[in-house]
Amino acid sequence: MQLAAHPAFEPIQSKVIESLNITVEEYAHKKTGAQHIHIQADNNENVFLVALRTVPMDSSGVAHILEHTALCGSKKYPVRDPFFMMIRRSLNTFMNAFTSSDWTAYPFASQNRKDFNNLLDVYLDAVFFSRLDELDFAQEGHRVEFEKPDDPTSPLVFKGVVFNEMKGAMSSVPSQLWHTMCKYLFPTTTYHYNSGGDPEAIPDLSYDQLKSFYKNHYHPSNAIFMTYGDISAAEHQEKFENQALSQFDRLNYTVSVGEEKRYHAPLRVEECYPLDDSDDLNDKTHIVIGWLLGTSTDLDSVLQAQLLNSILLDNSASPLQHLLETSDLGTSPSPMCGLDDSQKELSFLCGIEGSNTDKINEFEAQILSLVEKIAEEGVPQEQLDACLHQLELHQREIGGDGYPYGLQLILSALNSATHRGNPIELLDLEPALERLRDAAKAPDFVQNLIKKLLLNNPHRVTLAMRPDTQISDRKQAAEKLRLSLLKDSLSDEQKSKIVDQAAKLVERQNQVDDESILPKVTVSDVPASTHYCEGNTRQVGDSSLSVYNAGTNGLVYQQMVIDLPELSPELLQLLPLYSVCLTELGVGEKDYLAVQQWQANVAGSFNAFSTIRGKIDDVQNVSGVITLSGKALARNQSELTDLMQQTLDGVRFDEHARIKELVAQIRARREMSVTGSGHSLAMAAACAGMSAGAKISHTLSGLAGIQALKALDDSIKSSETELADFAENLAKIHNVVKKQTRQFFLATEEHHLDNSIAEIEKYWRKPSGENPSRFSCEPVNTTVNQAWITNTQVNFCAKAYPTVPMTHADAPVLTVLAGFLRNGFLHRSIREQGGAYGGGASHDSSIGSFRFFSYRDPRLEETLTDFDASIDWLLTHDHSAQSLEEAILGVVASLDKPSSPAGEAKQTFHAELFGKNQSQREEFRKRILAVSIEDLKRVAKQYLTQDKASIAVVSNSNNAAVFDKLELDVQKL
């Protein structure tokens, strides 16, 4: 096929990938050598990404800080914050920037052609013509200020958005595990360092070093342009050329990651991680074993490694996963388990948590013994076939429920492009999968593969990370000493410069830029209506079946949705655990291992979850469902339906050891999640007194849920009687669930619908209950003032107010108000001036709550004060029509954001389950567009009053004095 390129670009190759309904094209810019990968698709959600190879050789966070600072003003757009300004002036469906270990990327997506071109203009100028103002480096990266900025007699402190972000990120034990493992697994290359930045090393980075890194890395010769959608490659290239590339010449050097030096013998290391506020250090050591494998640009090697990963770890019946889950040397598998293919060289990790340092030898011996056994005996053919089936399903599935689908495709090819491999190969997996299937037919294929990658591979690191209750104090003391020595060394002139910089930064943060120089879309560019995924309903026996014709590329998505029964408070607390256990235990005569293999043979995923929501006109009137959900290749739909029905009919709760393992694993995951989602958990806690649904969310899946889960795990570990009682309670829940009314959901392509419907009809069973019960809860109306103590270096703050449900006329106004306060006040005060990684507000009409929040925040009391100050700012100032329009555009963009075909069908189905139909959604959207400034002030006065406010923070025990001052009830996680 003849490629149509802009004259400045040279066509390289093109490939039609029928399984994904796309054409992939590769071009090179003649003058600079910049690479352009274009994915042509019949999709109006166009995606752009430009990536730079960034290879830092220290942990100062230079690439990460540069990612932030580059977005703070450019040659064509010399305003202070064009990135966040454009978020407000856009209908984007995605807009962000990423720093990986060896690349930095700037992606966005939009369904609006005008908006897409606006964003492209701003992104190209930001990346290739950034101003890199020194004050922006101080704000986004790091700086020293006096504790009282205008008082040089007060102590010095470190500040900076990235500095605080990485303090939060490195509070996470998985992050510490990963970076410590990389330090030893990669002794000489860039992966040895923390590309995000180590808080102890970030202050070492100078402004001149930042500018030098920009000059050497942010150049078209080192760039990869990637696009997706229905805009042609030539149209993109015209803009690349005219707005950026024509102004550059080719670099005379190449940025790349070298080959890692290989160990000739395995390495064993032991380090510590901080564990504050704990007297018991027993069973808190992490032991992880890592191997360095081949390069990620060799597709056949990558697929072989992925297959081995699946064979070893895919499910609880997989040999290595089974060992990790059942080993008495630890409480559960490590979060570090699996293959990492995001770097130039692949790595494979496995491990356990909840162990002790005296178990290292025994654990290593268990792993190596298993590897040797598989190298001798292989694995059953059924298991190998199931893993090949999973690879095929993964290749076919159309995503787009998290990131836009086009961005997912781009990111899957980016790693290969970064290391100058063939990115088209990674998108067109079918030929490589066929080669893998042929290779896997050899009787000794698995044996030879595990020998090559693991058994005979000496580049192996065994890492033990044990807890240390003093390391946080030592780090804080070292930071204070560093700052104290720095202050002692300062001349009066240097002190004055620090005071002056702090004042200039505040002045810069408060300045009003001329936003008119930035392009924008307006309310007139908003489509009159949004896309809606229509389904149709038919009867299957006494149950309803909702059917959606969706472009699923050969997959079928199916759900059985069961009305939640009335449950006692004791049983309700166990509902999340019941949902997990439902698809993780034995069924009928099969034990859980046999069921896990059955699931892998049939389904791409199979799980259960519960949903509890208030009515759209009454948040106190709640109902709920339990959903059994699966997806499969269309040819396996009959088997999927049989699996779902047999699971519901015959799941068994007598496998007590398995149940105990599952609870330990769930506890470990939930505890690890706190530092990554602390703002969400704090908001849930602050809202817990505002509606029945909000209370249930906090009690089951929030901080109170984690607290209860830890107590349950401890009790069933120490008492077989408690374990048996717990299993019996799970069975009680299931016995009443089986009696409840149920309905079905189905999404697949039109030519698969008739067969799929027939299979559901074939396996349909009438519920056993004659008089099903209905779940309900007592109304809730109380205030909350809590501080939750956990292992974190930063804070997560939330303040909430009770409001109204979706159908109330004020719900759209409150939704716009959240964006208005974020854009006009909170972003500046909490992020730019306060140094938090993020902060804002949101309105959740499903629980009737308006919430303020901050994320990875060095402050606490001051942030809560800023929440209040934002309301005063709204009420006491005049505001422009432009700022209102920006808030409205942000809400509309989030409402109109597309998902995958199957994802849109599921979202529509579940929204309608709880009464949110198309006309109500359209009415809500229409009211959003009609909100006025007067409306915003009116609802703020009416709902955001201090007598109704609730507060919840996630923090550490060092803030005890603040908790006392604010009269917060202290809870320990």
Side-chain angles (χ1 to χ4, degrees):
M1 184 180 83
Q2 185 66 37
L3 295 181
H6 184 275
F9 283 79
E10 178 183 2
I12 304 297
Q13 61 174 327
S14 171
K15 184 69 178 290
V16 175
I17 304 177
E18 293 181 358
S19 64
L20 299 176
N21 298 310
I22 59 174
T23 301
V24 189
E25 304 161 4
E26 181 180 5
Y27 304 86
H29 187 245
K30 295 174 183 177
K31 186 180 177 186
T32 65
Q35 185 180 24
H36 178 205
I37 305 294
H38 178 61
I39 304 173
Q40 188 70 33
D42 184 19
N43 189 334
N44 72 344
E45 187 181 24
N46 285 280
V47 181
F48 167 85
L49 176 146
V50 60
L52 299 311
R53 299 173 181 90
T54 46
V55 186
M57 293 305 292
D58 59 37
S59 293
S60 67
V62 58
H64 187 188
I65 292 171
L66 181 54
E67 172 224 308
H68 282 241
T69 312
L71 296 172
C72 292
S74 62
K75 180 179 178 181
K76 187 175 179 181
Y77 301 111
V79 290
R80 181 174 55 84
D81 198 1
F83 178 76
F84 285 99
M85 287 180 180
M86 285 305 296
I87 288 178
R88 305 194 292 261
R89 303 163 70 86
S90 165
L91 290 168
N92 72 85
T93 56
F94 186 88
M95 200 174 159
N96 211 331
F98 306 138
T99 302
S100 184
S101 54
D102 52 21
W103 52 256
T104 302
Y106 297 86
F108 70 82
S110 180
Q111 298 178 97
N112 181 290
R113 185 72 67 97
K114 174 184 175 182
D115 187 41
F116 182 91
N117 289 329
N118 288 347
L119 291 170
L120 180 61
D121 193 16
V122 173
Y123 264 61
L124 289 173
D125 209 60
V127 170
F128 295 109
F129 305 103
S130 181
R131 290 192 305 171
L132 297 185
D133 190 288
E134 188 168 7
L135 286 175
D136 294 325
F137 168 64
Q139 172 186 286
E140 297 296 316
H142 71 87
R143 65 188 184 276
V144 289
E145 276 187 14
F146 292 104
E147 199 169 76
K148 297 178 181 177
D150 58 352
D151 180 4
T153 65
S154 62
L156 280 176
V157 292
F158 285 126
K159 290 187 175 182
V161 171
V162 170
F163 178 76
N164 289 315
E165 177 192 350
M166 294 311 297
K167 273 201 167 185
M170 296 310 292
S171 295
S172 156
V173 176
S175 292
Q176 294 175 63
L177 274 171
W178 171 247
H179 288 294
T180 306
M181 174 59 78
C182 285
K183 183 169 67 174
Y184 294 103
L185 207 56
F186 298 95
T188 66
T189 59
T190 186
Y191 312 119
H192 180 80
Y193 306 99
N194 183 342
S195 64
D198 185 322
E200 293 185 51
I202 287 173
D204 297 335
L205 179 67
S206 72
Y207 176 55
D208 287 338
Q209 288 172 327
L210 182 89
K211 291 191 294 182
S212 176
F213 194 88
Y214 176 79
K215 180 180 178 181
N216 293 331
H217 292 80
Y218 278 50
H219 189 283
S221 297
N222 188 42
I224 307 156
F225 294 85
M226 306 184 82
T227 50
Y228 167 93
D230 61 7
I231 300 176
S232 70
E235 186 176 338
H236 287 307
Q237 290 162 3
E238 181 179 11
K239 292 181 171 59
F240 299 165
E241 172 69 6
N242 294 340
Q243 292 169 222
L245 302 187
S246 61
Q247 302 178 52
F248 290 88
D249 295 314
R250 191 183 293 258
L251 286 178
N252 59 4
Y253 59 88
T254 298
V255 176
S256 61
V257 179
E259 301 289 334
E260 186 53 80
K261 290 184 179 180
R262 298 288 170 146
Y263 293 141
H264 300 298
L267 186 67
R268 182 181 290 180
V269 290
E270 184 177 320
E271 290 214 13
C272 298
Y273 71 93
L275 182 65
D276 304 330
D277 304 314
S278 179
D279 298 324
D280 182 12
L281 302 185
N282 196 44
D283 296 338
K284 290 186 172 66
T285 293
H286 298 254
I287 307 174
V288 181
I289 303 175
W291 286 264
L292 192 62
L293 311 181
T295 62
S296 59
T297 54
D298 181 344
L299 181 56
D300 289 329
S301 294
V302 171
L303 285 178
Q304 287 179 11
Q306 288 177 348
L307 180 61
L308 182 62
N309 178 72
S310 183
I311 289 169
L312 294 176
L313 291 169
D314 186 59
N315 58 67
S316 295
S318 305
L320 180 54
Q321 185 70 19
H322 180 62
L323 185 154
L324 298 174
E325 289 181 352
T326 58
S327 174
D328 59 2
L329 302 179
T331 56
S332 62
S334 169
M336 291 293 99
C337 292
L339 178 75
D340 179 78
D341 56 5
S342 67
Q343 303 181 142
K344 183 174 182 178
E345 291 166 287
L346 307 168
S347 56
F348 178 79
L349 280 65
C350 66
I352 52 172
E353 60 186 20
S355 189
N356 295 286
T357 52
D358 61 356
K359 306 295 185 185
I360 299 172
N361 290 341
E362 190 177 354
F363 176 70
E364 190 177 69
Q366 281 188 0
I367 298 298
L368 295 179
S369 175
L370 176 67
V371 169
E372 289 172 356
K373 181 181 179 183
I374 297 172
E376 286 291 321
E377 302 174 6
V379 296
Q381 186 64 39
E382 179 188 27
Q383 188 176 350
L384 181 56
D385 291 342
C387 294
L388 290 167
H389 159 246
Q390 294 295 326
L391 286 176
E392 178 189 356
L393 196 147
H394 176 73
Q395 160 71 355
R396 282 195 167 275
E397 184 168 22
I398 296 176
D401 296 326
Y403 290 167
Y405 177 54
L407 181 57
Q408 291 182 19
L409 291 177
I410 284 171
L411 291 174
S412 69
L414 177 57
N415 187 58
S416 179
T418 300
H419 302 295
R420 299 177 174 85
N422 184 352
I424 292 180
E425 276 192 337
L426 278 171
L427 293 170
D428 185 21
L429 285 180
E430 278 300 330
L433 282 172
E434 196 55 44
R435 293 195 298 271
L436 182 62
R437 291 187 194 100
D438 289 341
K441 292 175 183 176
D444 56 354
F445 171 76
V446 173
Q447 293 93 317
N448 289 336
L449 185 61
I450 200 167
K451 286 176 184 176
K452 179 179 76 171
L453 296 183
L454 302 184
L455 187 61
N456 298 331
N457 179 1
H459 196 109
R460 185 179 82 233
V461 174
T462 299
L463 168 67
M465 287 195 70
R466 58 180 175 81
D468 186 329
T469 58
Q470 302 300 315
I471 196 169
S472 289
D473 290 341
R474 290 196 294 270
K475 285 186 175 183
Q476 288 179 12
E479 183 177 302
K480 286 183 178 180
L481 177 61
R482 179 179 184 176
L483 289 163
S484 176
L485 293 173
L486 174 61
K487 183 181 177 182
D488 290 343
S489 72
L490 295 174
S491 64
D492 289 342
E493 181 182 0
Q494 289 171 318
K495 290 178 182 179
S496 295
K497 282 184 177 180
I498 292 174
V499 172
D500 186 50
Q501 183 192 55
K504 285 180 178 178
L505 185 55
V506 171
E507 180 183 354
R508 178 170 169 78
Q509 289 164 341
N510 287 323
Q511 77 183 36
V512 179
D513 287 321
D514 179 12
E515 296 188 2
S516 66
I517 67 172
L518 288 164
K520 68 174 183 175
V521 293
T522 66
V523 170
S524 64
D525 295 303
V526 173
S529 61
T530 186
H531 170 71
Y532 197 79
C533 184
E534 291 279 1
N536 62 79
T537 303
R538 58 187 294 161
Q539 286 300 116
V540 176
D542 294 335
S543 302
S544 67
L545 167 63
S546 297
V547 179
Y548 294 82
N549 176 8
T552 59
N553 200 26
L555 271 68
V556 59
Y557 296 80
Q558 193 166 303
Q559 295 182 343
M560 182 187 297
V561 182
I562 305 165
D563 287 349
L564 189 63
E566 190 69 42
L567 295 172
S568 68
E570 179 188 22
L571 294 183
L572 179 62
Q573 183 69 57
L574 305 181
L575 187 60
L577 299 173
Y578 163 77
S579 299
V580 172
C581 290
L582 184 56
T583 57
E584 295 286 342
L585 297 174
V587 173
E589 297 296 317
K590 293 182 173 72
D591 65 10
Y592 81 90
L593 294 174
V595 169
Q596 291 280 294
Q597 188 60 55
W598 182 19
Q599 293 175 5
N601 294 342
V602 167
S605 67
F606 185 59
N607 65 295
F609 58 90
S610 61
T611 309
I612 299 173
R613 292 182 190 166
K615 283 192 170 184
I616 62 170
D617 59 355
D618 183 1
V619 295
Q620 300 288 4
N621 188 351
V622 298
S623 60
V625 295
I626 293 172
T627 302
L628 198 57
S629 181
K631 67 184 176 190
L633 296 170
R635 66 173 184 260
N636 291 333
Q637 193 259 342
S638 176
E639 290 85 352
L640 174 63
T641 309
D642 183 35
L643 171 65
M644 295 179 80
Q645 190 63 57
Q646 286 203 46
T647 298
L648 185 65
D649 289 343
V651 65
R652 36 191 286 205
F653 296 93
D654 59 347
E655 296 173 300
H656 290 183
R658 170 63 171 170
I659 290 172
K660 183 164 68 172
E661 291 164 10
L662 289 171
V663 172
Q665 292 171 33
I666 297 165
R667 172 184 178 169
R669 288 197 299 268
R670 296 294 310 282
E671 285 186 302
M672 293 292 181
S673 73
V674 173
T675 52
S677 56
H679 62 308
S680 298
L681 293 166
M683 283 192 286
C687 298
M690 296 179 185
S691 67
K695 180 181 179 181
I696 290 170
S697 176
H698 174 61
T699 303
L700 301 191
S701 56
L703 293 163
I706 297 173
Q707 193 179 55
L709 176 60
K710 291 172 67 175
L712 173 68
D713 183 45
D714 290 340
S715 71
I716 65 175
K717 280 177 180 174
S718 60
S719 168
E720 289 296 323
T721 301
E722 294 284 348
L723 176 59
D725 289 345
F726 171 59
E728 184 179 345
N729 282 333
L730 295 181
K732 285 180 182 177
I733 296 174
H734 190 66
N735 287 335
V736 290
V737 166
K738 288 197 298 183
K739 298 175 182 178
Q740 293 296 107
T741 304
R742 64 195 64 163
Q743 56 182 296
F744 300 93
F745 162 89
L746 174 69
T748 191
E749 291 157 312
E750 186 173 10
H751 58 279
H752 292 306
L753 284 175
D754 289 343
N755 286 339
S756 298
I757 292 168
E759 290 299 330
I760 292 175
E761 291 174 336
K762 172 181 168 185
Y763 287 101
W764 180 81
R765 302 277 193 281
K766 185 176 181 179
S768 58
E770 294 297 326
N771 296 300
S773 62
R774 181 186 179 278
F775 177 77
S776 63
C777 276
E778 290 295 317
V780 176
N781 184 13
T782 186
T783 55
V784 170
N785 289 283
Q786 292 181 336
W788 289 80
I789 305 302
T790 190
N791 201 39
T792 176
Q793 298 181 60
V794 288
N795 306 304
F796 305 87
C797 306
K799 191 167 187 176
Y801 301 83
T803 59
V804 294
M806 176 188 174
T807 55
H808 193 285
D810 289 340
V813 184
L814 288 158
T815 304
V816 174
L817 176 61
F820 191 88
L821 294 177
R822 179 189 65 242
N823 296 346
F825 190 92
L826 296 170
H827 174 75
R828 181 182 69 253
S829 64
I830 293 175
R831 188 183 191 276
E832 294 180 348
Q833 297 175 344
Y837 184 50
S842 66
H843 181 248
D844 187 345
S845 57
S846 69
I847 58 172
S849 177
F850 189 96
R851 301 91 57 89
F852 292 95
F853 68 91
S854 70
Y855 180 68
R856 291 181 177 169
D857 191 346
R859 306 184 306 161
L860 198 158
E861 185 178 5
E862 301 92 333
T863 292
L864 296 173
T865 300
D866 279 343
F867 293 159
D868 298 340
S870 72
I871 302 171
D872 293 336
W873 167 81
L874 170 73
L875 297 176
T876 59
H877 287 71
D878 294 328
H879 304 284
S880 68
Q882 172 67 34
S883 58
L884 173 64
E885 184 176 60
E886 290 174 353
I888 289 173
L889 286 173
V891 175
V892 172
S894 66
L895 293 176
D896 292 356
K897 185 176 180 180
S899 295
S900 68
E904 288 190 355
K906 286 187 278 190
Q907 289 167 19
T908 299
F909 171 74
H910 283 273
E912 292 182 349
L913 266 182
F914 291 93
K916 190 189 294 185
N917 58 33
Q918 182 178 7
S919 63
Q920 286 156 341
R921 289 163 71 172
E922 290 289 356
E923 178 64 22
F924 186 83
R925 188 175 181 273
K926 180 180 175 182
R927 289 182 174 182
I928 290 289
L929 294 169
V931 170
S932 68
I933 296 286
E934 291 71 26
D935 289 332
L936 298 182
K937 292 189 174 185
R938 175 180 56 80
V939 297
K941 288 178 183 177
Q942 182 174 348
Y943 299 104
L944 309 188
T945 60
Q946 292 306 312
D947 60 311
K948 301 174 184 175
S950 289
I951 293 172
V953 298
V954 176
S955 185
N956 57 63
S957 57
N958 292 333
N959 284 314
V962 179
F963 305 152
D964 288 342
K965 180 181 177 181
L966 297 175
E967 298 181 345
L968 301 181
D969 175 29
V970 178
Q971 300 284 326
K972 187 173 180 181
L973 262 186

